[in-house]
Amino acid sequence: MKLIIFFLGISTFCFSQKFSFIYETKYKLNSENPDDVNSGNMILDLKNNTSIFRDSLERKSDSIRLNNVNKSFKMGVQNQFYVKKNLSQKRVEKVITYLGTDYLLPIEEILDWKISSEQKMIGKYKSQKAETNYGGRNWIAWFTTELPFSDGPYIFNGLPGLIVSIQDSNNDYSFNLIEVKKGGNLFDARTNTIKIDWKKYEALAKSYFNDPFNINLRGWKTATFTDANGATVDISIKNKELQNYILQENNPIELNHKINYK
């Protein structure tokens, strides 16, 4: 009985602490150019069964927001990785920021994990294999009970330990734990949100594609910009360049919600 109480005490202590898990993230947005790999560090901040996953630049942007500085936001709608989780309520939500507005997209797809007996060391952690399907992809994960948190990068959670590595079977997307930090504060700067579904998400993405520089909403009949040589160019040319770039990003993480812009 004393041993059980001891371990319960450790569990309570761990979950009452704040941790930051840094993941090296790699992803291929253009299926026709598999050698073009995007990479960067993304951070899972976790405290009391609540977590936020975002890339390091978005985390800095959130910190600036909380200091009442004018907020910046990314252009575009697709390929945003910002995720909030409430593990005790089994609630997972993506935050999509578009034209300065934060939209909340609930993830209702259930992760049905198949845990394997296969084990291996990943870094210093003894890890076990598990597989699931999400977003039209098959995912292979490795989790460790040495970090007793039922969470992981992006939307992934629900295993009996932290996910230290996960990638899809096509090796288009991968998340690998590279650092664990203890302490600090879990800050959320995106609480004023508008709830949407995937249909609305698609409408936002198409709105961006059709008017990437927001000319119509601004009420401008025309607009120009100055190129590197100092020449004045109509914005329609820049629109076309950006639309072509969007079309090339044809390999979203949620393949089952891939948007057909044509």
Side-chain angles (χ1 to χ4, degrees):
M1 179 62 70
K2 290 182 179 180
L3 188 61
I4 294 174
I5 293 173
F6 174 74
F7 280 112
L8 285 175
I10 290 179
S11 177
T12 302
F13 173 77
C14 286
F15 279 99
S16 65
Q17 301 299 304
K18 188 265 182 181
F19 289 85
S20 293
F21 304 101
I22 295 93
Y23 290 85
E24 181 185 39
T25 304
K26 296 181 179 181
Y27 52 100
K28 304 171 185 177
L29 295 179
N30 188 341
S31 61
E32 298 174 2
N33 188 7
D35 294 330
D36 185 12
V37 180
N38 296 271
S39 63
N41 290 343
M42 298 190 180
I43 302 171
L44 176 70
D45 290 314
L46 172 67
K47 183 178 181 181
N48 297 337
N49 283 317
T50 299
S51 68
I52 299 177
F53 182 77
R54 52 201 159 185
D55 71 34
S56 56
L57 292 178
E58 286 183 314
R59 193 174 188 272
K60 290 179 181 178
S61 176
D62 282 357
S63 178
I64 291 172
R65 286 190 187 199
L66 291 177
N67 289 319
N68 296 318
V69 179
N70 289 334
K71 62 182 180 180
S72 61
F73 51 88
K74 289 184 174 181
M75 294 181 70
V77 175
Q78 286 197 99
N79 307 312
Q80 296 191 31
F81 292 88
Y82 200 112
V83 173
K84 295 182 183 183
K85 302 191 199 89
N86 186 313
L87 300 175
S88 59
Q89 297 179 12
K90 297 182 178 180
R91 189 172 71 241
V92 181
E93 299 158 323
K94 286 188 66 167
V95 176
I96 307 297
T97 300
Y98 176 55
L99 296 179
T101 299
D102 296 322
Y103 297 92
L104 198 67
L105 176 60
I107 301 299
E108 298 175 346
E109 191 170 339
I110 297 175
L111 300 178
D112 183 17
W113 291 104
K114 308 297 183 185
I115 298 178
S116 166
S117 59
E118 186 177 349
Q119 297 183 357
K120 68 177 181 179
M121 294 296 296
I122 297 183
K124 63 180 180 179
Y125 300 109
K126 183 178 180 181
S127 304
Q128 189 168 349
K129 185 179 180 181
E131 294 187 55
T132 192
N133 292 305
Y134 170 73
R137 298 178 184 272
N138 180 58
W139 293 88
I140 300 133
W142 294 87
F143 68 94
T144 179
T145 56
E146 295 174 20
L147 294 169
F149 310 103
S150 183
D151 205 354
Y154 197 50
I155 62 91
F156 300 106
N157 69 99
L159 287 167
L162 185 78
I163 296 172
V164 296
S165 178
I166 185 168
Q167 67 180 42
D168 71 301
S169 56
N170 291 329
N171 197 28
D172 287 337
Y173 288 80
S174 66
F175 304 87
N176 292 287
L177 183 68
I178 58 174
E179 188 177 358
V180 178
K181 293 183 178 181
K182 181 179 176 181
N185 296 315
L186 176 68
F187 56 89
D188 184 1
R190 308 189 187 193
T191 57
N192 185 20
T193 57
I194 298 173
K195 189 174 181 179
I196 61 172
D197 55 16
W198 285 107
K199 186 175 181 180
K200 178 62 176 177
Y201 169 85
E202 180 177 348
L204 290 174
K206 288 183 175 180
S207 175
Y208 171 65
F209 178 81
N210 292 327
D211 186 17
F213 293 99
N214 199 27
I215 301 301
N216 294 332
L217 191 61
R218 297 175 193 270
W220 299 344
K221 293 182 179 180
T222 185
T224 58
F225 70 96
T226 303
D227 65 15
N229 298 320
T232 300
V233 183
D234 191 86
I235 196 68
S236 62
I237 296 176
K238 198 66 177 178
N239 275 350
K240 191 64 177 179
E241 290 178 358
L242 193 49
Q243 286 174 337
N244 288 334
Y245 179 79
I246 294 170
L247 290 175
Q248 291 174 11
E249 293 189 340
N250 58 5
N251 189 33
I253 191 168
E254 285 97 0
L255 269 178
N256 58 340
H257 292 292
K258 181 177 178 179
I259 297 171
N260 182 8
Y261 290 103
K262 296 181 179 180

